[in-house]
Amino acid sequence: MSELEYQEGRTELNAFGEFALIDRLTDEFEPCNPSTVKGVGDDCAVIGDGKIKTLVTTQTLAEGIHFDMAYTPLKHLGYKAVAVSLSNIAAMNGTPRQIVVSIAVSNRYSVEALEEFYAGIRLCCQRYDVDLVGGDTNSSRSGMVVTVTAIGEADEAKLTYRSGAKLHDLVCVSGDLGSAYSGLLILEREKVTFQANPNFQPDLDSYDYVLERYLKPEPRLDIVKMLGDAGVVPTSMIDVSDGLASELLHICKASQCGCEVYEERIPIDYQTTRVCSEMSQNMLPVSNALNGGGDYELLFTIDQKDYDRVKEMEGVHIIGHITEQGLPAVMVTPQNSTITLVAQGFRD
Ligand code: ADP
Ligand code: MG
């Protein structure tokens, strides 16, 4: 069979989860350049021959999948598209420097709309001292698709991979979890109500925190700085884009270990709790934290020797510890029962 001949048979895309699909597609790519330090499999690729490594990551947001124009202000969308890419640089303990932005847009969008979108991009670039250095502009038949590629750097001594967690390390997470997904639930609810009654004026003021978390997430570069200032290099790190459960499983798989986290230690904002109780009696805030996603917080592990330095850090919560290889990733409830974590992931 010639190399370009098609294989027989057809497997539907939904037969694979996202990660199994990436594995299958990239499995046979072996890096051939010595400067490719880390290829597929972490939050960023790591490139370079020197002590300061270059980090590269790319993220796509597609209309109808990742955002809904019914409730997404374009300025927020521009900000978010940059922020989610920078979050992957933060997850390597790195510093972002440049972005390139590719857009495909249909003629439903006006020049003014795209200017608004770019105002959001500019705001995020200014906020994090990042330069827009290029991109690509195309037309699209179905809505808008945005891809932001971020380039950053990190001293190799400070680089953190998903794979460095070791037995007895402490598991830490920044900020709070489940709030972005709670914001999305509110926006979806208000959209349905508005469709039923276009005169309806949603009252969103009391949900300001969760809405902002969904519409305008921040990359936790402040946490990267705080760790650096304290002289702490995490043993492993990942950003929480798909929910705590999925990210813990990534760390455990890459680091060949298990972990135990304590339910009552998982940080959850009161607005998240309120949204859950409003939505349904059966909706538990911890489920949003485990499976909601979109929070873009940092999940990392530290050596026990760094406990004293990390325990006082504002916005950092120690939620558990790493267990032996072969053990599962579990959550211990306040009643002391153990739940094995499975990745349900975000709808993204
Ligand atoms: P993250 O959630 O941190 O953005 P992903 O789950 O999207 O990470 O991707 C996991 C890894 O797989 C990353 O190293 C990413 O670069 C790589 N990857 C994702 N999609 C593709 C693809 N289509 N081709 C090659 N590599 C991919
Ligand atoms: Mg990531």
Side-chain angles (χ1 to χ4, degrees):
M1 188 169 100
S2 92
E3 283 192 10
L4 287 177
E5 222 167 273
Y6 289 106
Q7 291 171 22
E8 273 182 35
R10 177 188 160 92
T11 311
E12 297 302 328
L13 276 178
N14 62 12
F16 282 79
E18 177 192 344
F19 305 121
L21 178 65
I22 296 170
D23 282 351
R24 170 138 170 183
L25 296 177
T26 60
D27 195 36
E28 290 177 14
F29 288 77
E30 281 295 321
C32 62
N33 292 291
S35 58
T36 306
V37 180
K38 175 74 192 176
V40 173
D42 218 299
D43 292 291
C44 291
V46 180
I47 297 170
D49 300 308
K51 200 166 104 51
I52 304 295
K53 302 294 184 202
T54 299
L55 307 172
V56 185
T57 176
T58 195
Q59 292 284 304
T60 294
L61 299 182
E63 184 172 350
I65 308 283
H66 302 99
F67 61 93
D68 185 329
M69 285 319 298
Y71 51 67
T72 310
L74 277 162
K75 194 167 175 182
H76 287 66
L77 182 64
Y79 193 98
K80 181 170 180 173
V82 178
V84 300
S85 243
L86 302 190
S87 177
N88 275 328
I89 304 273
M92 305 301 289
N93 212 20
T95 307
R97 299 289 185 206
Q98 291 90 13
I99 55 162
V100 293
V101 176
S102 298
I103 52 173
V105 273
S106 73
N107 55 13
R108 260 199 302 123
Y109 290 84
S110 65
V111 173
E112 289 74 18
L114 292 183
E115 281 177 340
E116 191 66 11
F117 172 69
Y118 265 74
I121 290 184
R122 196 163 64 244
L123 197 62
C124 196
C125 284
Q126 283 167 350
R127 168 84 180 75
Y128 294 104
D129 296 324
V130 166
D131 301 321
L132 169 72
V133 294
D136 194 19
T137 306
N138 301 282
S139 53
S140 139
R141 291 214 183 141
S142 55
M144 180 165 176
V145 180
V146 189
T147 300
V148 175
T149 300
I151 299 153
E153 60 186 33
D155 188 318
E156 65 182 350
K158 291 190 172 173
L159 258 177
T160 53
Y161 294 96
R162 296 175 179 181
S163 56
K166 52 187 181 11
L167 187 60
H168 305 315
D169 280 355
L170 301 172
V171 177
C172 310
V173 73
S174 65
D176 69 90
L177 299 175
S179 44
Y181 185 67
S182 303
L184 174 62
L185 291 175
I186 293 295
L187 289 166
E188 289 284 345
R189 183 182 74 180
E190 302 305 303
K191 180 183 162 186
V192 171
T193 317
F194 182 78
Q195 280 168 340
N197 173 11
N199 294 322
F200 169 75
Q201 285 294 322
D203 173 20
L204 296 175
D205 283 354
S206 57
Y207 304 107
D208 55 346
Y209 178 66
V210 290
L211 294 177
E212 179 144 330
R213 292 279 291 164
Y214 175 72
L215 292 171
K216 191 172 162 287
E218 301 289 350
R220 296 308 306 262
L221 290 155
D222 56 332
I223 298 286
V224 169
K225 179 165 188 316
M226 213 189 288
L227 289 166
D229 289 348
V232 175
V233 179
T235 52
S236 70
M237 187 144 67
I238 188 169
D239 64 331
V240 185
S241 52
D242 294 338
L244 181 64
S246 170
E247 315 305 356
L248 281 170
L249 289 166
H250 279 311
I251 294 241
C252 288
K253 187 173 175 212
S255 300
Q256 300 187 310
C257 60
C259 72
E260 209 168 78
V261 297
Y262 297 93
E263 182 177 347
E264 75 266 27
R265 298 225 189 153
I266 297 175
I268 291 175
D269 188 83
Y270 80 94
Q271 278 196 13
T272 300
T273 309
R274 214 186 88 213
V275 169
C276 288
S277 62
E278 279 177 24
M279 290 287 160
S280 140
Q281 278 188 329
N282 302 323
M283 185 178 280
L284 300 174
V286 74
S287 302
N288 282 11
L290 289 171
N291 304 313
D295 291 311
Y296 297 100
E297 293 297 338
L298 292 176
L299 172 69
F300 55 96
T301 55
I302 57 159
D303 190 288
Q304 296 233 355
K305 74 172 168 27
D306 289 323
Y307 172 71
D308 283 334
R309 282 187 272 190
V310 171
K311 75 168 196 262
E312 302 298 347
M313 277 183 195
E314 204 182 322
V316 173
H317 312 270
I318 299 173
I319 60 168
H321 59 269
I322 295 294
T323 57
E324 273 167 44
Q325 180 174 8
L327 293 182
V330 300
M331 181 176 79
V332 181
T333 70
Q335 296 74 34
N336 227 15
S337 57
T338 297
I339 297 169
T340 300
L341 298 176
V342 287
Q344 290 180 10
F346 194 34
R347 61 171 199 164
D348 287 8

